[in-house]
Amino acid sequence: NHKTLETSWLAFLASDVHPPHDWSSISWWSEVQMGPPDPILGVSEAYKRDTNPKKINLGVGAYRDDQGKPYVLSCVRKAEAQIAAKKLDKEYLAIGGLGDFTKACAKLALGDDNEVIKSGRNITVQTISGTGSLRIGANFLSRFHTEARDVYLPKPSWGNHTPIFRDAGMQLKAYTYYDPKTCGFDFQGALNDISKIPEKSVIMLHACAHNPTGVDPRPEQWKEIADLVKKRNLLVFFDMAYQGFASGDIDRDAWAVRYFIEQGHNIVLSQSFAKNMGLYGERVGGFTVVCKDAEEAKRVESQLKILIRPIYSNPPMNGARIAATILNTPDLYKEWLGEVHGMANRIITMRELLVANLKKEGSTRNWKHVIDQIGMFCFTGLKPEQVERLTKEFSVYMTKDGRISMAGVTSGNVGYLAQGIHAVTK
Amino acid sequence: MSIFAEVPQAPPVAVFKLTADFREDTHAQKVNLGVGAYRTDDCLPWVLPVVKKVEQMIVEDNSLNHEYLPILGLPELRSAASKVALGDDSPAIKDGRVGAVQALGGTGALRIGAEFLRRWYNGTNNTATPVYVSAPTWENHNAVFSDAGFKDIRPYHYWDGEKKGLDVTGIMDDLENAPEHSIFVLHACAHNPTGTDPTPDEWKTISEVMKRRKLFVFFDSAYQGFASGSLDKDAWAIRYFVSEGFELLCAQSFSKNFGLYNERVGNLTVVAQDKDNLARVLSQMEKIVRTTWSNPPSQGARIVAITLNNPDLFIEWKGNVKTMADRVLLMRDQLKAKLIALGTPGTWDHITQQIGMFSFTGLNPKQVQYMIKEKHVYLMASGRINMCGLTSKNIDYVAESIHETVSKEVTSHWTGSDITVGLPVERKRCVARRSWGEIFTFISFSDSLKMEKSCCFLSW
């Protein structure tokens, strides 16, 4: 009969499908499960609900000034004023985004004089901040890098990496990265694991200020990794969300990316301007593919557009305009470098203050890693039970893995924070 | 050997290629009737006065910063946008069973909706659920649903090329014969590209059949206010379906009616049976958003939210929208009048019967080529023109060009090589497979589209 034919035809078309639902129930959605709250953003929600005046939010990686307030960069305000004065129209951007932005974005990452840019063998598209960039990259690899479906993430990695790649149709694997014993980099462990990764697999590397651990390889370690990755013939996917934010120096933070390219790796790269320009909600990012030559870059570009168009057609203008203005106006660029340096410095100072205060509290634990780690995040080494206590008893909000956002630490709350950490770890 | 050595060159997106070609053309009288963006009578983009006002307010508000929006977007935008679609006094909103996801333009709203449906509708991960898009439809509909994972995307009859109007019988046949639970993408008003909408009575019949056949309603609402000049009139179909008890999705765009094209402001309105179902649906949409763009851009959302939530600004906005709609209506009247005055062969009633930004002229691909190459009037290969590209200064030239084109013995036989974008012709039923680099193209509209012909097409 017709229904049987239809059902078997459907089954034939999509063999991994579940049989259609029995629609005697009223709503289409009765079988839809409640999704679990996002672990990272869920922390901020819980923080908002807390009425304790001493509460501290060390959850989301958004920069705060020493008063604990969001910080709109001065160069951003100036750029906005300049843009407003120009009275521009609101016509659609190209699918690949604002040209002034994408060119400057690539130069920022690769360096002004990079041979890749000069030869036109990179394609850089504007994306919806870092997430959008990673997703476009994941979709692109899923569609065109068909020899290998596996993406190797460092253990641990940013929580959202896994679902992004999974939703794009890739498979997730991991390589050793963090050493919980030292709260540092497990270099040998990483090399061991990387040496076993099958050829052509994708390996994700955090360019600087590893999220969530704050643990970065040293330059000589990067060199060995680059060597090994080349031997294994792996496709390198760099995630650079904190350029400038880690050391305070734009070039220093991009060193690994530039080194790999120099060594002949044709990488793919995600960049975010959420943190280093404080443009979080404007969604400014870039995705770059370093190709063999300009001809290949053109082909790759055409396919990226085909991927982007059915997601959001073309990217938002506002943030890209701001970023482009800053990057392309010498005075603003200089001011920006200073402000990024300032933000990074405040973080470094807070790290030192936290350790000093912990010592003052009488803690005998080794807190050296708090200072050795770099960037917005610190992997404290706290266990989930200790984190829970810290949240329940002290209203200190952080993720269960022991990660704290140093940006949430201020000279005003660092003493209280040290008290709490000491209390749960003594 | 580069890993990307085998990546094929993809064809350019037709509508943007047309504008690129237009830009390179040096002819003094060139006219661009391609991309769907509003133009003033001086053929310039128009930033709405109310938008300028609100942007100034935002600039002067030092309490505002650039922090992340919530994953689902700016709450004030989501609720106000849903109200615009469903009406202030919507019982569904009062019942708390309406929610929304702020998205990147109408495209983003469609994509989030499509991803959600693929994962959670008609079973879980049921990629075989048929998705019906109108013949023709906005070219990107196909790719949105296909990239969201649906394997069976089909056209439903819509445009009758012979009578230059709605193929009502065709629509009803397709609705009756569609497998139960199929998804139908309906244009809420100002159908793109034909400008031809069902009448209220026709919508009622469509609704009846869809309810009986258990078909899923997914509205695409990109032109509310822009079509007739009235927000309420343009939302009539959506509101009717909601009042008939449908659980539905409605992808809204504020690109055109706010002129905020490049700020990417959209909203996916979700109407569910009750609060509980709504909550679960939104929680799953949140997960989809998180791996797509994490959270949406704030600038455009603020502009729209402030405007919609302020009574005076709301009135001012409605006035701006009416200004745009009225200019389009004027151009329609004038184009038709001039064609008639010139004695152009054929009937031209459809120019004023159609609604919204676009008009399906009825010109066939060969005639379109002539218009572009010989007259430097740029329009889509489907014969679609953007009325906004017409101005009091160029309308005579355009009318004369159409007259000349139609009067000549330009044959309607079409070959693939005539299409400027050089797409391969694929006359395969667009089900199951999709191979990259192969794009389905459309067939001439002077032939009436028959399902037995088994052509699947993208119109633009």
Side-chain angles (χ1 to χ4, degrees):
Chain A
N1 73 45
H2 181 251
K3 187 119 183 98
T4 318
L5 270 177
E6 180 197 291
T7 313
S8 30
W9 180 65
L10 289 177
F12 168 73
L13 269 189
S15 50
D16 62 337
V17 118
H18 298 238
H21 183 77
D22 167 28
W23 289 108
S24 53
S25 39
I26 296 174
S27 170
W28 290 130
W29 316 126
S30 26
E31 304 299 299
V32 175
Q33 295 155 23
M34 180 63 92
D38 182 280
I40 299 171
L41 298 173
V43 168
S44 285
E45 312 276 295
Y47 167 85
K48 281 196 196 107
R49 291 193 292 267
D50 192 325
T51 50
N52 183 347
K54 286 190 158 176
K55 63 181 179 175
I56 308 179
N57 187 359
L58 301 180
V60 183
Y63 181 80
R64 295 286 175 266
D65 63 17
D66 202 46
Q67 274 69 50
K69 296 264 177 310
Y71 173 59
V72 177
L73 276 64
S74 160
C75 62
V76 166
R77 290 215 190 277
K78 289 192 176 122
E80 286 180 301
Q82 275 187 29
I83 292 164
K86 287 196 181 139
K87 302 203 183 306
L88 301 164
D89 64 40
K90 302 230 172 262
E91 294 299 286
Y92 287 122
L93 285 179
I95 300 175
L98 184 65
D100 283 347
F101 167 72
T102 55
K103 289 194 189 67
C105 178
K107 280 204 174 142
L108 183 69
L110 308 189
D112 274 341
D113 289 324
N114 198 295
E115 156 274 319
V116 164
I117 297 179
K118 288 201 168 115
S119 63
R121 66 186 185 93
N122 67 302
I123 169 60
T124 301
V125 292
Q126 180 187 338
T127 57
I128 316 301
S129 205
T131 301
S133 176
L134 289 161
R135 183 53 181 275
I136 297 298
N139 282 1
F140 179 73
L141 293 178
S142 185
R143 195 172 275 187
F144 292 104
H145 186 54
T146 48
E147 295 114 317
R149 314 297 316 155
D150 294 334
V151 179
Y152 284 76
L153 302 179
K155 223 184 317 185
S157 194
W158 181 43
N160 209 15
H161 277 149
T162 295
I164 288 172
F165 280 99
R166 207 192 310 118
D167 282 2
M170 307 287 285
Q171 266 136 230
L172 279 310
K173 298 226 160 57
Y175 59 91
T176 299
Y177 188 83
Y178 178 70
D179 186 346
K181 291 198 277 333
T182 61
C183 295
F185 183 37
D186 185 349
F187 183 43
Q188 279 314 311
L191 290 178
N192 275 345
D193 281 356
I194 295 174
S195 68
K196 301 193 187 95
I197 297 179
E199 286 205 16
K200 300 198 180 165
S201 303
V202 179
I203 181 169
M204 166 74 65
L205 301 171
H206 296 219
C208 65
H210 181 271
N211 179 0
T213 67
V215 169
D216 286 349
R218 290 192 304 273
E220 57 276 22
Q221 294 171 324
W222 272 125
K223 286 181 176 173
E224 279 200 55
I225 294 169
D227 225 29
L228 177 58
V229 163
K230 196 191 279 193
K231 283 201 182 70
R232 299 299 308 148
N233 192 16
L234 306 178
L235 201 178
V236 174
F237 198 142
F238 265 114
D239 185 355
M240 185 155 69
Y242 300 98
Q243 188 185 6
F245 214 101
S247 68
D249 182 319
I250 292 290
D251 296 312
R252 199 160 142 202
D253 288 349
W255 183 84
V257 169
R258 297 173 189 184
Y259 179 78
F260 270 67
I261 292 176
E262 237 177 76
Q263 294 301 302
H265 295 270
N266 284 349
I267 66 168
V268 302
L269 166 70
S270 284
Q271 289 169 264
S272 167
F273 289 85
K275 284 81 169 174
N276 60 12
M277 279 194 184
L279 289 174
Y280 308 92
E282 302 294 341
R283 321 307 294 127
V284 193
F287 178 67
T288 294
V289 182
V290 176
C291 301
K292 193 181 78 174
D293 52 39
E295 186 272 332
E296 181 173 278
K298 279 263 155 294
R299 284 185 281 113
V300 168
E301 178 183 19
S302 71
Q303 294 296 346
L304 288 174
K305 287 178 179 173
I306 297 282
L307 272 169
I308 291 171
R309 172 85 165 141
I311 306 179
Y312 52 84
S313 275
N314 38 72
M317 164 68 99
N318 196 51
R321 238 318 149 225
I322 295 170
T325 303
I326 292 170
L327 294 172
N328 294 319
T329 311
D331 287 343
L332 291 181
Y333 184 69
K334 192 156 162 234
E335 185 170 4
W336 176 56
L337 292 180
E339 290 191 276
V340 170
H341 191 81
M343 290 193 283
N345 264 357
R346 196 183 88 68
I347 303 279
I348 291 168
T349 306
M350 289 303 107
R351 289 180 180 277
E352 289 161 0
L353 262 184
L354 179 57
V355 173
N357 273 275
L358 283 163
K359 290 207 174 97
K360 219 168 54 184
E361 288 292 319
S363 178
T364 51
R365 276 173 72 132
N366 181 355
W367 295 105
K368 186 167 171 292
H369 55 281
V370 172
I371 296 181
D372 288 345
Q373 290 167 6
I374 192 170
M376 201 178 285
F377 300 113
C378 169
F379 237 34
T380 55
L382 260 59
K383 300 195 182 57
E385 321 80 73
Q386 295 167 322
V387 172
E388 216 186 311
R389 274 191 66 198
L390 199 50
T391 304
K392 279 208 165 78
E393 297 171 28
F394 293 87
S395 295
V396 173
Y397 289 83
M398 52 194 283
T399 47
K400 271 205 311 266
D401 54 8
R403 181 191 90 163
I404 59 175
S405 167
M406 292 308 302
V409 182
T410 68
S411 46
N413 68 23
V414 67
Y416 177 72
L417 176 61
Q419 253 174 52
I421 293 178
H422 176 58
V424 307
T425 56
K426 62 179 176 209
Chain B
M1 161 85 161
S2 167
I3 50 159
F4 301 129
E6 303 300 308
V7 172
Q9 176 78 35
V13 177
V15 67
F16 300 130
K17 171 98 179 27
L18 190 76
T19 296
D21 290 344
F22 169 81
R23 282 209 192 102
E24 278 171 24
D25 190 329
T26 50
H27 193 264
Q29 286 180 297
K30 65 178 182 176
V31 181
N32 187 359
L33 301 179
V35 180
Y38 180 78
R39 293 283 176 271
T40 62
D41 196 58
D42 294 312
C43 216
L44 293 172
W46 192 52
V47 178
L48 274 57
V50 74
V51 167
K52 286 189 182 154
K53 191 183 275 189
V54 174
E55 279 188 310
Q56 190 56 32
M57 285 164 62
I58 291 173
V59 161
E60 286 164 4
D61 185 350
N62 280 318
S63 73
L64 291 175
N65 53 42
H66 293 290
E67 292 299 291
Y68 289 124
L69 286 181
I71 299 176
L72 293 180
L74 189 65
E76 299 88 337
L77 169 73
R78 295 160 56 206
S79 55
S82 293
K83 263 200 184 147
V84 162
L86 303 189
D88 271 338
D89 50 357
S90 161
I93 293 180
K94 290 199 170 75
D95 287 345
R97 58 191 188 88
V98 174
V101 179
Q102 180 192 334
L104 270 79
T107 306
L110 285 163
R111 182 59 177 263
I112 299 301
E115 292 277 353
F116 173 79
L117 291 173
R118 190 262 299 162
R119 284 155 214 242
W120 295 102
Y121 173 68
N122 200 24
T124 48
N125 198 39
N126 189 349
T127 58
T129 302
V131 178
Y132 283 82
V133 298
S134 64
T137 194
W138 181 49
E139 122 276 354
N140 207 15
H141 276 149
N142 208 295
V144 167
F145 283 87
S146 166
D147 279 14
F150 286 102
K151 304 251 185 283
D152 184 359
I153 300 166
R154 318 175 179 185
Y156 61 89
H157 283 87
Y158 195 84
W159 171 254
D160 185 332
E162 273 156 31
K163 79 173 219 224
K164 291 206 192 70
L166 202 64
D167 180 356
V168 185
T169 328
I171 296 177
M172 301 316 300
D173 276 348
D174 287 337
L175 289 172
E176 288 289 356
N177 294 315
E180 281 192 352
H181 314 312
S182 296
I183 296 165
F184 272 75
V185 180
L186 306 173
H187 298 227
C189 70
H191 182 271
N192 178 0
T194 68
T196 302
D197 293 340
T199 62
D201 280 339
E202 285 162 354
W203 275 124
K204 285 180 179 168
T205 321
I206 291 169
S207 157
E208 226 169 66
V209 181
M210 290 190 77
K211 201 188 280 191
R212 181 171 30 87
R213 308 258 335 121
K214 303 194 181 67
L215 304 173
F216 186 84
V217 176
F218 197 148
F219 271 114
D220 184 353
S221 177
Y223 301 99
Q224 189 183 359
F226 210 104
S228 68
S230 156
L231 292 173
D232 293 323
K233 195 153 166 225
D234 290 348
W236 185 88
I238 303 167
R239 295 174 190 186
Y240 178 74
F241 274 71
V242 171
S243 72
E244 285 293 295
F246 283 89
E247 287 181 300
L248 55 79
L249 297 178
C250 178
Q252 300 169 262
S253 168
F254 292 96
S255 293
K256 282 83 170 171
N257 59 15
F258 259 89
L260 285 174
Y261 308 95
N262 69 21
E263 300 291 5
R264 316 312 294 125
V265 198
N267 194 52
L268 177 69
T269 287
V270 180
V271 181
Q273 192 69 30
D274 53 50
K275 282 193 174 89
D276 184 60
N277 277 295
L278 177 69
R280 283 180 282 106
V281 168
L282 290 179
S283 75
Q284 291 299 344
M285 286 185 173
E286 205 174 275
K287 290 170 75 62
I288 295 168
V289 169
R290 183 63 167 144
T291 62
T292 313
W293 55 63
S294 262
N295 42 75
S298 63
Q299 179 71 359
R302 279 178 177 157
I303 295 171
V304 175
I306 291 170
T307 306
L308 296 180
N309 287 309
N310 177 312
D312 292 333
L313 295 173
F314 185 64
I315 291 172
E316 189 174 345
W317 172 57
K318 286 198 283 191
N320 290 171
V321 174
K322 190 155 187 319
T323 299
M324 294 190 285
D326 284 348
R327 197 180 95 65
V328 168
L329 289 168
L330 180 66
M331 289 298 103
R332 286 186 180 280
D333 281 342
Q334 289 190 350
L335 181 61
K336 173 180 159 182
K338 286 180 193 294
L339 289 171
I340 291 175
L342 286 167
T344 310
T347 57
W348 300 99
D349 290 337
H350 55 287
I351 301 279
T352 48
Q353 278 161 4
Q354 288 164 6
I355 194 168
M357 198 182 277
F358 302 116
S359 175
F360 236 35
T361 55
L363 294 176
N364 64 45
K366 199 90 182 180
Q367 290 168 326
V368 168
Q369 280 301 285
Y370 185 88
M371 288 281 282
I372 296 174
K373 291 211 155 68
E374 305 300 325
K375 309 307 297 178
H376 305 272
V377 174
Y378 288 72
L379 64 158
M380 301 306 293
S382 61
R384 182 193 91 170
I385 60 173
N386 177 6
M387 299 306 299
C388 303
L390 290 173
T391 69
S392 54
K393 296 158 195 68
N394 67 23
I395 194 163
D396 284 317
Y397 178 69
V398 171
E400 281 154 18
S401 301
I402 294 175
H403 177 79
E404 183 183 311
T405 307
V406 173
S407 305
K408 280 185 180 298
E409 286 294 309
V410 178
T411 60
S412 63
H413 178 73
W414 170 79
T415 60
S417 59
D418 286 347
I419 300 300
T420 49
V421 296
L423 296 176
V425 178
E426 180 58 64
R427 290 175 177 243
K428 212 178 273 185
R429 193 181 163 90
C430 56
V431 294
R433 291 171 306 284
R434 167 109 188 246
S435 49
W436 310 119
E438 226 184 63
I439 301 234
F440 303 113
T441 190
F442 80 97
I443 313 300
S444 162
F445 285 97
S446 41
D447 307 336
S448 55
L449 194 73
K450 292 183 176 47
M451 290 294 271
E452 308 90 271
K453 219 174 174 183
S454 289
C455 31
C456 166
F457 66 103
L458 296 174
S459 160
W460 48 80

